[in-house]
Amino acid sequence: AVEYGGHLIKKTARREFVLRHTTLWYPRCGTRDRAKYDVTFRWPRALDLVAPGRYVDGGVASGIRWERRIVDVPGIAVAFELGRFVFERTRAGHLDVTVAFGKRIADDMGSRARRETVRAVRDALLYFQSLYGNLPFDQFVVVTSPREFSQAFLGYMSVAESTFRAAGADSWVARRPIRERTLAHEIAHQWWGNLVGWRSYRDQWLSEAMADHAALLYLDRAGARGSEGYLAELAAGWRGSLGTRLRDGRTLESVGPLVLGERLNSSKAGEAYRAIVYRKGSVVLATLARSLGERPFLAMNRALVDAARGHVLSTEVFLESMERMSGRDLGEFAANYVYGTGIPEVFYTYRIENDDEDGWVVRGRATQSSSHDDRHRAIETADGGWDVLRERVEHLDVATSDLLVPLRVELQPVEVTDEDREPRRRRDRKRRERAAAPPDA
């Protein structure tokens, strides 16, 4: 039983309310342990409270509103938001879903954009429940927050208002895949990060990379219109972000492996954690899925959620489980991409052929080599002088690496005129004439 108080809420310049700290003020027991929660909130009457759990009782006393809520499924924390909200509701299978939009952002969005957001939340919940199993509660709450980041706890998620802000209708449409990816990523944390936790900071990459991988699956197979170009950009752009050069000449990816977790961030590489854990982690999982088979990989994930529900997962147990269920040795894969640094350089060549039976066919070849750094040192020559020796240092052994890079071919429709069709018509007529000709012709 925990009772504490203080100035936990602050008012922003826009006269909105946020917690001074997003986790330290929440009722919680840590990231490894789980607990059920019986929570009573008290807050000013003029404001709305958004919180998870089953409503038990509530009312108003001396100008103060209060509610008692019970969270029956063990989780790491109970979160909440305070403010003025516009509420939208829907159902996703057995779940009653409430989406609370801050009054200011709700007015900016309009009713149509709010309905689109609610639909995206519902569709992502239905999709992930089909992959990983039903969530073990009946109510799910989504709330916007003036903070600049999003978070998810069991039965609850807060989404940064910046995710929804768009200057004009065109911008709103163009940002749809990014917006839906953010929503899907946070919803996927219901399974990866909440139902199944991480053992230590060295294993937190599993939660983030799994959620990001799941969000990309959603966009690819059941997600937003217009996501094709966005996914193509991600497939082509992951390597560029990881290959960014730091001031000391190293690549961003070489700062450390996935299992270094939050220690990847430093004054020399402030973006390393997000680039490596999210982008590289997602590519590593996509590689593992293609290596083991995408359908079997999803089935293994479902089995892992069932087995580890309510517990924490370590990197070692995750890899051992994948090996046991697939019958594959993942030692070299893990050494290269989970515990080690370095990514291959992959060069593509391709050609497009017109096949009379199958239509257009794209044939290509991918050639893999190792990325590298050049190191220099001064050496003394035989005549007593000095020279600079340059050494090439490979980041990984290509012979033992296996990176099945996500590849997407994007086709753009073009308008074909009658003049363009005429040569094809003549070819088709000649084929018919040859087919109709007698054998001795």
Side-chain angles (χ1 to χ4, degrees), residues 259-282:
V259 291
L260 206 57
E262 292 182 348
R263 291 171 59 195
L264 290 165
N265 280 343
S266 70
S267 58
K268 294 183 177 181
E271 295 298 319
Y273 174 80
R274 177 164 291 275
I276 294 172
V277 168
Y278 285 73
R279 299 212 71 175
K280 179 182 176 180
S282 182

PDB file of all heavy atoms in Angstrom, residues 259-282:
ATOM      1  N   VAL A 259      22.216  -4.942 -27.264  1.00  0.00           N
ATOM      2  CA  VAL A 259      22.085  -5.252 -25.842  1.00  0.00           C
ATOM      3  C   VAL A 259      22.735  -4.206 -24.945  1.00  0.00           C
ATOM      4  O   VAL A 259      22.677  -4.333 -23.720  1.00  0.00           O
ATOM      5  CB  VAL A 259      22.685  -6.643 -25.530  1.00  0.00           C
ATOM      6  CG1 VAL A 259      21.841  -7.738 -26.145  1.00  0.00           C
ATOM      7  CG2 VAL A 259      24.125  -6.735 -26.002  1.00  0.00           C
ATOM      8  N   LEU A 260      23.322  -3.158 -25.512  1.00  0.00           N
ATOM      9  CA  LEU A 260      23.868  -2.096 -24.673  1.00  0.00           C
ATOM     10  C   LEU A 260      22.770  -1.162 -24.177  1.00  0.00           C
ATOM     11  O   LEU A 260      22.978  -0.383 -23.243  1.00  0.00           O
ATOM     12  CB  LEU A 260      24.930  -1.302 -25.440  1.00  0.00           C
ATOM     13  CG  LEU A 260      25.995  -0.600 -24.598  1.00  0.00           C
ATOM     14  CD1 LEU A 260      26.727  -1.583 -23.704  1.00  0.00           C
ATOM     15  CD2 LEU A 260      26.982   0.142 -25.494  1.00  0.00           C
ATOM     16  N   GLY A 261      21.601  -1.222 -24.793  1.00  0.00           N
ATOM     17  CA  GLY A 261      20.436  -0.483 -24.305  1.00  0.00           C
ATOM     18  C   GLY A 261      20.664   1.012 -24.189  1.00  0.00           C
ATOM     19  O   GLY A 261      21.289   1.630 -25.056  1.00  0.00           O
ATOM     20  N   GLU A 262      20.175   1.593 -23.095  1.00  0.00           N
ATOM     21  CA  GLU A 262      20.245   3.037 -22.920  1.00  0.00           C
ATOM     22  C   GLU A 262      21.672   3.546 -22.821  1.00  0.00           C
ATOM     23  O   GLU A 262      21.914   4.753 -22.981  1.00  0.00           O
ATOM     24  CB  GLU A 262      19.450   3.443 -21.674  1.00  0.00           C
ATOM     25  CG  GLU A 262      17.953   3.236 -21.827  1.00  0.00           C
ATOM     26  CD  GLU A 262      17.189   3.696 -20.601  1.00  0.00           C
ATOM     27  OE1 GLU A 262      17.848   3.952 -19.564  1.00  0.00           O
ATOM     28  OE2 GLU A 262      15.953   3.809 -20.670  1.00  0.00           O
ATOM     29  N   ARG A 263      22.623   2.676 -22.555  1.00  0.00           N
ATOM     30  CA  ARG A 263      24.019   3.104 -22.494  1.00  0.00           C
ATOM     31  C   ARG A 263      24.552   3.472 -23.873  1.00  0.00           C
ATOM     32  O   ARG A 263      25.660   4.005 -23.983  1.00  0.00           O
ATOM     33  CB  ARG A 263      24.875   1.997 -21.874  1.00  0.00           C
ATOM     34  CG  ARG A 263      24.596   1.781 -20.394  1.00  0.00           C
ATOM     35  CD  ARG A 263      25.284   0.537 -19.869  1.00  0.00           C
ATOM     36  NE  ARG A 263      26.722   0.600 -20.052  1.00  0.00           N
ATOM     37  CZ  ARG A 263      27.523  -0.456 -19.958  1.00  0.00           C
ATOM     38  NH1 ARG A 263      27.016  -1.656 -19.704  1.00  0.00           N
ATOM     39  NH2 ARG A 263      28.820  -0.325 -20.131  1.00  0.00           N
ATOM     40  N   LEU A 264      23.781   3.206 -24.937  1.00  0.00           N
ATOM     41  CA  LEU A 264      24.191   3.626 -26.272  1.00  0.00           C
ATOM     42  C   LEU A 264      24.215   5.142 -26.393  1.00  0.00           C
ATOM     43  O   LEU A 264      25.004   5.702 -27.167  1.00  0.00           O
ATOM     44  CB  LEU A 264      23.232   3.047 -27.319  1.00  0.00           C
ATOM     45  CG  LEU A 264      23.299   1.535 -27.533  1.00  0.00           C
ATOM     46  CD1 LEU A 264      22.066   1.052 -28.293  1.00  0.00           C
ATOM     47  CD2 LEU A 264      24.563   1.164 -28.295  1.00  0.00           C
ATOM     48  N   ASN A 265      23.348   5.832 -25.658  1.00  0.00           N
ATOM     49  CA  ASN A 265      23.305   7.292 -25.709  1.00  0.00           C
ATOM     50  C   ASN A 265      24.449   7.888 -24.906  1.00  0.00           C
ATOM     51  O   ASN A 265      24.745   7.437 -23.798  1.00  0.00           O
ATOM     52  CB  ASN A 265      21.981   7.816 -25.164  1.00  0.00           C
ATOM     53  CG  ASN A 265      20.870   7.724 -26.190  1.00  0.00           C
ATOM     54  OD1 ASN A 265      21.117   7.578 -27.379  1.00  0.00           O
ATOM     55  ND2 ASN A 265      19.636   7.816 -25.725  1.00  0.00           N
ATOM     56  N   SER A 266      25.075   8.890 -25.461  1.00  0.00           N
ATOM     57  CA  SER A 266      26.134   9.615 -24.769  1.00  0.00           C
ATOM     58  C   SER A 266      26.218  11.005 -25.364  1.00  0.00           C
ATOM     59  O   SER A 266      25.523  11.333 -26.328  1.00  0.00           O
ATOM     60  CB  SER A 266      27.480   8.895 -24.922  1.00  0.00           C
ATOM     61  OG  SER A 266      27.948   9.001 -26.257  1.00  0.00           O
ATOM     62  N   SER A 267      27.096  11.834 -24.807  1.00  0.00           N
ATOM     63  CA  SER A 267      27.285  13.174 -25.356  1.00  0.00           C
ATOM     64  C   SER A 267      27.882  13.126 -26.760  1.00  0.00           C
ATOM     65  O   SER A 267      27.768  14.078 -27.517  1.00  0.00           O
ATOM     66  CB  SER A 267      28.201  13.991 -24.434  1.00  0.00           C
ATOM     67  OG  SER A 267      29.452  13.331 -24.273  1.00  0.00           O
ATOM     68  N   LYS A 268      28.497  12.004 -27.119  1.00  0.00           N
ATOM     69  CA  LYS A 268      29.081  11.862 -28.452  1.00  0.00           C
ATOM     70  C   LYS A 268      28.104  11.272 -29.461  1.00  0.00           C
ATOM     71  O   LYS A 268      28.325  11.378 -30.658  1.00  0.00           O
ATOM     72  CB  LYS A 268      30.337  10.976 -28.382  1.00  0.00           C
ATOM     73  CG  LYS A 268      31.478  11.592 -27.600  1.00  0.00           C
ATOM     74  CD  LYS A 268      32.712  10.696 -27.645  1.00  0.00           C
ATOM     75  CE  LYS A 268      33.878  11.345 -26.911  1.00  0.00           C
ATOM     76  NZ  LYS A 268      35.096  10.479 -26.973  1.00  0.00           N
ATOM     77  N   ALA A 269      27.061  10.636 -28.976  1.00  0.00           N
ATOM     78  CA  ALA A 269      26.109   9.973 -29.890  1.00  0.00           C
ATOM     79  C   ALA A 269      24.727   9.990 -29.259  1.00  0.00           C
ATOM     80  O   ALA A 269      24.237   8.965 -28.776  1.00  0.00           O
ATOM     81  CB  ALA A 269      26.556   8.546 -30.190  1.00  0.00           C
ATOM     82  N   GLY A 270      24.087  11.163 -29.271  1.00  0.00           N
ATOM     83  CA  GLY A 270      22.806  11.315 -28.589  1.00  0.00           C
ATOM     84  C   GLY A 270      21.656  10.572 -29.238  1.00  0.00           C
ATOM     85  O   GLY A 270      20.638  10.331 -28.606  1.00  0.00           O
ATOM     86  N   GLU A 271      21.798  10.188 -30.540  1.00  0.00           N
ATOM     87  CA  GLU A 271      20.719   9.505 -31.247  1.00  0.00           C
ATOM     88  C   GLU A 271      20.974   8.007 -31.414  1.00  0.00           C
ATOM     89  O   GLU A 271      20.237   7.329 -32.119  1.00  0.00           O
ATOM     90  CB  GLU A 271      20.524  10.139 -32.632  1.00  0.00           C
ATOM     91  CG  GLU A 271      20.053  11.586 -32.586  1.00  0.00           C
ATOM     92  CD  GLU A 271      18.702  11.708 -31.909  1.00  0.00           C
ATOM     93  OE1 GLU A 271      17.828  10.861 -32.163  1.00  0.00           O
ATOM     94  OE2 GLU A 271      18.522  12.646 -31.116  1.00  0.00           O
ATOM     95  N   ALA A 272      22.030   7.499 -30.775  1.00  0.00           N
ATOM     96  CA  ALA A 272      22.414   6.109 -31.010  1.00  0.00           C
ATOM     97  C   ALA A 272      21.355   5.126 -30.529  1.00  0.00           C
ATOM     98  O   ALA A 272      21.060   4.129 -31.200  1.00  0.00           O
ATOM     99  CB  ALA A 272      23.755   5.812 -30.339  1.00  0.00           C
ATOM    100  N   TYR A 273      20.763   5.381 -29.356  1.00  0.00           N
ATOM    101  CA  TYR A 273      19.783   4.436 -28.806  1.00  0.00           C
ATOM    102  C   TYR A 273      18.608   4.250 -29.757  1.00  0.00           C
ATOM    103  O   TYR A 273      18.245   3.122 -30.105  1.00  0.00           O
ATOM    104  CB  TYR A 273      19.292   4.918 -27.449  1.00  0.00           C
ATOM    105  CG  TYR A 273      18.175   4.077 -26.864  1.00  0.00           C
ATOM    106  CD1 TYR A 273      18.463   2.884 -26.220  1.00  0.00           C
ATOM    107  CD2 TYR A 273      16.850   4.478 -26.973  1.00  0.00           C
ATOM    108  CE1 TYR A 273      17.443   2.099 -25.693  1.00  0.00           C
ATOM    109  CE2 TYR A 273      15.828   3.706 -26.446  1.00  0.00           C
ATOM    110  CZ  TYR A 273      16.132   2.519 -25.806  1.00  0.00           C
ATOM    111  OH  TYR A 273      15.116   1.745 -25.306  1.00  0.00           O
ATOM    112  N   ARG A 274      18.013   5.341 -30.208  1.00  0.00           N
ATOM    113  CA  ARG A 274      16.844   5.236 -31.080  1.00  0.00           C
ATOM    114  C   ARG A 274      17.207   4.603 -32.413  1.00  0.00           C
ATOM    115  O   ARG A 274      16.485   3.741 -32.915  1.00  0.00           O
ATOM    116  CB  ARG A 274      16.217   6.613 -31.295  1.00  0.00           C
ATOM    117  CG  ARG A 274      15.031   6.612 -32.243  1.00  0.00           C
ATOM    118  CD  ARG A 274      14.233   7.878 -32.131  1.00  0.00           C
ATOM    119  NE  ARG A 274      13.538   7.945 -30.858  1.00  0.00           N
ATOM    120  CZ  ARG A 274      12.360   7.384 -30.638  1.00  0.00           C
ATOM    121  NH1 ARG A 274      11.740   6.720 -31.595  1.00  0.00           N
ATOM    122  NH2 ARG A 274      11.770   7.490 -29.469  1.00  0.00           N
ATOM    123  N   ALA A 275      18.323   4.992 -32.996  1.00  0.00           N
ATOM    124  CA  ALA A 275      18.704   4.451 -34.302  1.00  0.00           C
ATOM    125  C   ALA A 275      18.999   2.962 -34.220  1.00  0.00           C
ATOM    126  O   ALA A 275      18.566   2.179 -35.067  1.00  0.00           O
ATOM    127  CB  ALA A 275      19.915   5.204 -34.848  1.00  0.00           C
ATOM    128  N   ILE A 276      19.726   2.543 -33.195  1.00  0.00           N
ATOM    129  CA  ILE A 276      20.147   1.143 -33.102  1.00  0.00           C
ATOM    130  C   ILE A 276      19.015   0.258 -32.594  1.00  0.00           C
ATOM    131  O   ILE A 276      18.687  -0.772 -33.196  1.00  0.00           O
ATOM    132  CB  ILE A 276      21.398   1.020 -32.207  1.00  0.00           C
ATOM    133  CG1 ILE A 276      22.588   1.717 -32.878  1.00  0.00           C
ATOM    134  CG2 ILE A 276      21.722  -0.446 -31.924  1.00  0.00           C
ATOM    135  CD1 ILE A 276      23.821   1.820 -32.003  1.00  0.00           C
ATOM    136  N   VAL A 277      18.390   0.647 -31.476  1.00  0.00           N
ATOM    137  CA  VAL A 277      17.363  -0.202 -30.864  1.00  0.00           C
ATOM    138  C   VAL A 277      16.111  -0.285 -31.734  1.00  0.00           C
ATOM    139  O   VAL A 277      15.549  -1.365 -31.934  1.00  0.00           O
ATOM    140  CB  VAL A 277      17.031   0.313 -29.451  1.00  0.00           C
ATOM    141  CG1 VAL A 277      15.770  -0.352 -28.917  1.00  0.00           C
ATOM    142  CG2 VAL A 277      18.202   0.043 -28.515  1.00  0.00           C
ATOM    143  N   TYR A 278      15.667   0.854 -32.285  1.00  0.00           N
ATOM    144  CA  TYR A 278      14.433   0.862 -33.072  1.00  0.00           C
ATOM    145  C   TYR A 278      14.698   0.400 -34.510  1.00  0.00           C
ATOM    146  O   TYR A 278      14.120  -0.583 -34.973  1.00  0.00           O
ATOM    147  CB  TYR A 278      13.808   2.256 -33.088  1.00  0.00           C
ATOM    148  CG  TYR A 278      13.130   2.656 -31.804  1.00  0.00           C
ATOM    149  CD1 TYR A 278      13.873   2.983 -30.674  1.00  0.00           C
ATOM    150  CD2 TYR A 278      11.744   2.724 -31.709  1.00  0.00           C
ATOM    151  CE1 TYR A 278      13.252   3.374 -29.494  1.00  0.00           C
ATOM    152  CE2 TYR A 278      11.119   3.119 -30.531  1.00  0.00           C
ATOM    153  CZ  TYR A 278      11.882   3.429 -29.433  1.00  0.00           C
ATOM    154  OH  TYR A 278      11.273   3.806 -28.262  1.00  0.00           O
ATOM    155  N   ARG A 279      15.580   1.122 -35.229  1.00  0.00           N
ATOM    156  CA  ARG A 279      15.736   0.853 -36.655  1.00  0.00           C
ATOM    157  C   ARG A 279      16.523  -0.427 -36.903  1.00  0.00           C
ATOM    158  O   ARG A 279      16.096  -1.298 -37.644  1.00  0.00           O
ATOM    159  CB  ARG A 279      16.391   2.035 -37.351  1.00  0.00           C
ATOM    160  CG  ARG A 279      15.565   3.316 -37.241  1.00  0.00           C
ATOM    161  CD  ARG A 279      15.709   4.193 -38.436  1.00  0.00           C
ATOM    162  NE  ARG A 279      15.040   3.641 -39.605  1.00  0.00           N
ATOM    163  CZ  ARG A 279      14.934   4.275 -40.771  1.00  0.00           C
ATOM    164  NH1 ARG A 279      15.467   5.468 -40.902  1.00  0.00           N
ATOM    165  NH2 ARG A 279      14.326   3.733 -41.791  1.00  0.00           N
ATOM    166  N   LYS A 280      17.700  -0.544 -36.277  1.00  0.00           N
ATOM    167  CA  LYS A 280      18.464  -1.772 -36.478  1.00  0.00           C
ATOM    168  C   LYS A 280      17.727  -2.960 -35.860  1.00  0.00           C
ATOM    169  O   LYS A 280      17.674  -4.046 -36.463  1.00  0.00           O
ATOM    170  CB  LYS A 280      19.861  -1.653 -35.874  1.00  0.00           C
ATOM    171  CG  LYS A 280      20.696  -2.916 -36.044  1.00  0.00           C
ATOM    172  CD  LYS A 280      22.055  -2.810 -35.397  1.00  0.00           C
ATOM    173  CE  LYS A 280      22.807  -4.131 -35.498  1.00  0.00           C
ATOM    174  NZ  LYS A 280      24.144  -4.064 -34.862  1.00  0.00           N
ATOM    175  N   GLY A 281      17.151  -2.766 -34.676  1.00  0.00           N
ATOM    176  CA  GLY A 281      16.432  -3.859 -34.032  1.00  0.00           C
ATOM    177  C   GLY A 281      15.313  -4.387 -34.896  1.00  0.00           C
ATOM    178  O   GLY A 281      15.117  -5.601 -35.018  1.00  0.00           O
ATOM    179  N   SER A 282      14.563  -3.486 -35.539  1.00  0.00           N
ATOM    180  CA  SER A 282      13.471  -3.909 -36.417  1.00  0.00           C
ATOM    181  C   SER A 282      13.990  -4.670 -37.625  1.00  0.00           C
ATOM    182  O   SER A 282      13.412  -5.689 -38.043  1.00  0.00           O
ATOM    183  CB  SER A 282      12.674  -2.681 -36.863  1.00  0.00           C
ATOM    184  OG  SER A 282      11.585  -3.046 -37.671  1.00  0.00           O
TER     185      SER A 282
END
